[in-house]
Amino acid sequence: NSARQLAQDNVDGALQSANQAVASAPDLAEAHYQLGLVLAKMQRWREASAAFDRAAELNPGMAYAHYYGGLMHYRANRPDRMANHFEQFLKLAPEAPERPEVTQIMRTVRGR
């Protein structure tokens, strides 16, 4: 429901649905992942990064929880946590189309 609402640009409804999903299934990685997507859309980087952290903690093999977690930590100015997520993402999804973007961000951050 949250994904459909987000696709329809109903961000408030999507947030409500995602929060309900997390409340009813707190151990479901996908619920936290969806909450992270909604919070990212709202540009609430720290909250989004926490949601993706939880999704990755519950399901360490969820490559895109690491990808989005890395992006959110990058935007929240947490390069240490960003690097951890991106390294996991690259291990889990070596052929992902986002790979060049991820390696470029990591190069830029490490170059500072």
Side-chain angles (χ1 to χ4, degrees), residues 35-45 48 52 72 75:
L35 177 59
L37 292 177
V38 175
L39 292 166
K41 175 83 170 174
M42 299 174 85
Q43 298 185 4
R44 289 163 61 176
W45 313 130
F52 289 121
M72 295 306 103
R75 295 209 169 135

Side-chain angles (χ1 to χ4, degrees), residues 11-86:
V11 180
D12 293 333
L15 180 61
Q16 186 176 3
S17 293
N19 277 322
Q20 287 172 347
V22 167
S24 63
D27 294 332
L28 185 65
E30 290 77 7
H32 293 275
Y33 179 84
Q34 187 60 39
L35 177 59
L37 292 177
V38 175
L39 292 166
K41 175 83 170 174
M42 299 174 85
Q43 298 185 4
R44 289 163 61 176
W45 313 130
R46 287 190 186 274
E47 291 169 89
S49 65
F52 289 121
D53 284 352
R54 185 68 181 131
E57 183 181 310
L58 290 167
N59 181 354
M62 184 184 258
Y64 281 89
H66 291 288
Y67 170 71
Y68 286 113
L71 285 179
M72 295 306 103
H73 282 297
Y74 176 65
R75 295 209 169 135
N77 203 23
R78 293 298 308 269
D80 52 329
R81 292 186 177 186
M82 174 214 73
N84 291 340
H85 275 296
F86 278 167

